[in-house]
Amino acid sequence: MSRAVQGPTDHVVVVGAGLAGLSAALHLLGAGRRVTVVERDAGPGGRAGRLERGGYLIDTGPTVLTMPETADEAFAAVGASLYDRVELIPLHPAYRARFADGSTLDVHTDADAMEAEVERFAGPGEAAGYQRLRHWLTELYRAERHRFLDADFDSPRQLLGPGLLGLALLGGFGRWEAAVARHLRDERLRRVFTFQALYAGVPPARALAAYAVIAYMDTVAGVYFPRGGMHALPRAMAEAAEEAGATFHYGHAVTRLERSGDRVTAVLAGDRRIPCDAVVLTPDLPVAYRLLGRTPRRPLRLRHAPSAVVLHAGCDRTWPELAHHTLSFGRAWRRTFDELTRTGDLMSDPSLLITRPTATDPALAPPGRHLHYVLAPCPNSDIGPRAADWPALGPRYRDSVLRTLDRRGLAGIAAAIEEECLVTPADWTAQGHAAGTPFSAAHTFAQTGPFRPRNLVRGTANAVLAGCGTTPGVGVPPVLLSGKLAAARLTGTGRTPRSAGIPTRREGAHA
C-alpha cells in the first residue's frame, strides 16, 4: 500500500472541476466521502472547457481521447457508466499524416487495416516491421499500465523489483526514437510513432522509450470522439458526481486555505468559507504551491514542456483531404524539436495538428459550416518569447501558420474563417500555467515516476495534488488517473507499484 493521509477525511473539498478534479470527486464519492467541488469557471471542464461563438461549439482543451476506460473507472466508482452517458465515436482513421513530399498515410488502430496501409505506403518490409512494433508497444503497455501509470510512489525504491527488470528487458530505458527505428526504416513512418514525444515535452531522440506507451494509446488502443465534443466528457462526469451527492460551487476562485498546524481546515473562495477534513488541489503546480504556502525543494529546477499556439477557426468551407485529425509534417524534424526545446525559436518549418471535429459531429457548427483547430507547438516562455511578447507576436504568427497551410493544400483558408479564437502562451500564463504552457512539467528522466512532483507535499498533512503536473503526468488518461490516485491517498485504497496485469480487450489490448 502507498502512504495514505492520516486523520479524518470525511469531507473533502476538491479545488478545480477539470478532468483530474472530477475523477477525484467520483472516486471519493464511491468510497463514501462527502465531496464539495469549487471551480473558478462558470461550469465544469477546466482545460477541457467549451467556448460558444457565432453558433460554433469550440472545445478549448484536448481534442484526442484515448483509453476511455480510465474515465469509465471514475463513473463506475459511483455505479454509473461512461458508455451510458457519452456516445463515443471511434475514429477511422485515428489520424491522417501528410508529409512534405506529398505522400499521405492514414493511421489505423486496427492491425490488419494498418498493415495494409503501411504496405501500400512503404512496402511489405515496413508492414512486417509495423507488426513487430505494434507487438512491442502492446508489451510495453502491459508492463507499465499498473506498475507505473496507475500507481503512487513514495520513494524511488518502490521501482525496484521484477517489473522494473521487465521494463528494462523491453528496452524501456533506452531512447524512444531508437526503439522505433529498430522496427521501421522509413523516416516518415517513424514520425507517426514518435511525434507523441511532444506530449512528454522531450525530443524523441532523447525521450525514454518507456514513453512510447503514448504511441500505444494513439495507434493501437484506439482514438475516440465524444458526440457533442470533448467537453461532453467533463460535463457528464460532473452530472454523475452531482447525482452521487457532490456539491459544486461554480464561479468561485479559491483564494486561501485556512490551516491549523499542518492540516487544512477550510477553503476560502470569494465570500465562501468551506470547512473540510482534507483537500484535493488540481490547479497547476505554482498555484497549488502558493495556496499551500510551500514549494517542495528539488535538486534540479523543473523543466517545462513546450507550449502551443491554437487557432480555433469556424469556416464557411472545409477541405476533403482533412480527416478528423490531420498531422501536417514539415520537412524538418530534429530541427523542429531543437527549436521547441532548446533554442526557443518558433518553428521554422512547422509541423501542425489540424483537428476537424465537424467531420464526425456536424452539429458543432451552424449548418453548412465547419470547425477547424490548428495547433502549432511553440517554445514555452522560459526559453522562448515571453508572455508579454505574444499580444503583438500572436497575430503575426497566426498569419504565418495560415500561409503555411495554404501552401500545403488548404487553399483560401484565411478567407474562409468566419469566427475565430487565437490562444497563445500569454493566455496560458493568464490561466496560471507555469512557463506559459498547458502541458506542465516535461517528462524528462528526472521528472518521471518517483522523481516527478509528488501528489503529497511535505508540511501539509491532508492535502493531495492531482493534475498533469504530478503523478502520473500529461494527457487525458494520465490526468484521469491522477484524480484516482489522489482519491486513493485519502481513502487508503492506493497501492504501491506492482507487476502489470494483462489488459482486457476493453483496456485496448486488441493487437
Side-chain angles (χ1 to χ4, degrees):
M1 295 288 289
S2 56
R3 184 157 61 92
V5 167
Q6 300 300 304
T9 59
D10 299 317
H11 178 210
V12 182
V13 173
V14 177
V15 179
L19 293 175
L22 294 168
S23 174
L26 287 166
H27 284 287
L28 287 165
L29 290 161
R33 300 314 192 265
R34 185 161 64 95
V35 175
T36 300
V37 182
V38 184
E39 167 58 48
R40 67 182 178 183
D41 292 336
R47 297 180 207 198
R50 163 63 55 81
L51 175 67
E52 298 187 26
R53 183 163 294 182
Y56 293 93
L57 305 180
I58 300 170
D59 286 320
T60 60
T63 61
V64 178
L65 178 62
T66 61
M67 297 183 67
E69 68 274 5
T70 56
D72 190 46
E73 287 181 3
F75 284 95
V78 295
S81 168
L82 164 68
Y83 307 101
D84 291 340
R85 292 171 177 262
V86 180
E87 181 186 351
L88 296 184
I89 305 168
L91 297 184
H92 304 297
Y95 295 94
R96 177 166 294 153
R98 297 174 60 83
F99 299 93
D101 64 0
S103 59
T104 301
L105 174 79
D106 280 354
V107 180
H108 299 283
T109 52
D110 176 79
D112 293 338
M114 187 59 180
E115 181 181 12
E117 178 70 354
V118 172
E119 183 168 353
R120 177 200 66 80
F121 182 79
E126 292 295 84
Y130 158 73
Q131 286 289 10
R132 293 192 300 272
L133 174 63
R134 184 183 179 97
H135 176 75
W136 176 74
L137 290 171
T138 302
E139 291 300 309
L140 193 70
Y141 170 80
R142 290 173 173 173
E144 294 184 38
R145 173 63 169 94
H146 296 293
R147 181 172 177 83
F148 298 101
L149 289 175
D150 193 7
D152 272 319
F153 291 93
D154 294 317
S155 165
R157 290 191 296 272
Q158 291 172 237
L159 281 173
L160 301 177
L164 185 69
L165 177 61
L167 185 59
L169 290 174
L170 284 169
F173 297 104
R175 293 292 174 257
W176 186 341
E177 186 175 75
V180 171
R182 286 199 295 271
H183 305 285
L184 298 173
R185 293 184 177 182
D186 191 295
E187 190 268 346
R188 298 166 300 171
L189 284 175
R190 292 179 192 175
R191 291 191 189 189
V192 169
F193 294 95
T194 60
F195 81 89
Q196 301 89 348
L198 185 64
Y199 303 152
V202 183
R206 298 205 309 266
L208 287 176
Y211 281 110
V213 73
I214 308 173
Y216 168 87
M217 298 176 190
D218 274 359
T219 67
V220 177
V223 177
Y224 301 84
F225 186 71
R227 187 171 299 280
M230 287 289 289
H231 183 66
L233 174 58
R235 189 169 64 245
M237 294 176 74
E239 290 170 357
E242 282 193 285
E243 292 171 13
T247 300
F248 283 79
H249 296 295
Y250 292 117
H252 289 80
V254 172
T255 55
R256 189 163 67 87
L257 302 179
E258 212 171 82
R259 302 170 66 105
S260 176
D262 63 356
R263 299 189 71 84
V264 176
T265 56
V267 173
L268 278 69
D271 59 355
R272 295 176 184 265
R273 178 184 179 275
I274 308 170
C276 62
D277 297 311
V279 63
V280 174
L281 299 173
T282 70
D284 208 14
L285 292 177
V287 178
Y289 292 153
R290 177 176 55 77
L291 289 171
L292 290 172
R294 60 198 69 227
T295 299
R297 293 181 179 177
R298 293 181 60 86
L300 298 173
R301 181 187 176 192
L302 272 181
R303 287 180 52 190
H304 290 88
S307 184
V309 172
V310 183
L311 175 64
H312 303 283
C315 299
D316 62 10
R317 59 165 296 193
T318 191
W319 294 262
E321 56 265 43
L322 293 178
H324 186 111
H325 295 297
T326 300
L327 296 160
S328 175
F329 289 109
R331 293 188 183 278
W333 188 239
R334 292 183 183 277
R335 186 175 78 232
T336 295
F337 278 97
D338 197 46
E339 290 165 341
L340 293 173
T341 64
R342 192 180 67 82
T343 66
D345 298 315
L346 298 178
M347 292 183 292
S348 54
D349 182 17
S351 289
L352 306 167
L353 171 63
I354 305 109
T355 297
R356 183 166 65 107
T358 44
T360 304
D361 188 354
L364 295 172
R369 298 300 190 260
H370 306 271
L371 194 52
H372 304 87
Y373 308 155
V374 181
L375 186 148
C378 69
N380 64 51
S381 58
D382 279 347
I383 66 168
R386 300 169 302 160
D389 299 329
W390 278 102
L393 176 59
R396 297 199 304 271
Y397 190 55
R398 170 241 188 228
D399 293 345
S400 174
V401 168
L402 289 176
R403 286 194 296 270
T404 296
L405 291 174
D406 193 283
R407 290 195 300 270
R408 293 181 184 177
L410 274 60
I413 184 171
I417 297 174
E418 295 182 324
E419 297 282 348
E420 69 176 273
C421 176
L422 182 68
V423 184
T424 74
D427 300 289
W428 304 124
T429 299
Q431 293 176 28
H433 301 319
T437 173
F439 305 116
S440 195
H443 285 268
T444 61
F445 179 79
Q447 296 174 182
T448 292
F451 309 112
R452 195 162 181 80
R454 297 184 190 170
N455 55 12
L456 293 180
V457 178
R458 189 183 303 274
T460 303
N462 63 337
V464 190
L465 307 184
C468 60
T470 186
T471 303
V474 177
V476 172
V479 163
L480 291 165
L481 290 174
S482 79
K484 174 186 175 183
L485 294 173
R489 290 287 197 184
L490 294 169
T491 61
T493 58
R495 59 172 179 251
T496 53
R498 62 176 176 82
S499 296
I502 303 301
T504 64
R505 178 166 291 273
R506 194 168 186 178
E507 284 181 310
H510 49 271

